[in-house]
Amino acid sequence: MDPVKLELLVELAVVLLGPPIYQYYLWRKGKTDKAGLIKTAKVFAPLYLLVFIALVAWARS
């Protein structure tokens, strides 16, 4: 894997980790409840699965 692909993967990982980290922060501070956390996870889970599949396919090419 060349350095450009590696840099793109790291940048994408940082961008994709933002929403879950923020939701965890809100949950720990008491600004959202467990039901809201699960609702958000259900919204983001398919997106992360598709991105993961695309990244694996891209890395193998």
Side-chain angles (χ1 to χ4, degrees):
M1 184 177 297
D2 60 353
V4 174
K5 278 189 179 181
L6 184 61
E7 179 185 1
L8 287 174
L9 285 175
V10 169
E11 289 176 2
L12 182 63
V14 169
V15 168
L16 289 178
L17 285 175
I21 291 172
Y22 182 65
Q23 288 298 318
Y24 177 75
Y25 167 77
L26 289 176
W27 177 63
R28 294 294 293 175
K29 292 296 182 179
K31 298 191 187 284
T32 188
D33 57 352
K34 188 174 181 180
L37 192 64
I38 292 172
K39 181 181 171 187
T40 304
K42 285 182 182 179
V43 170
F44 281 107
L47 170 68
Y48 289 132
L49 182 63
L50 288 173
V51 168
F52 178 73
I53 291 169
L55 285 176
V56 169
W58 182 50
R60 296 186 83 198
S61 66

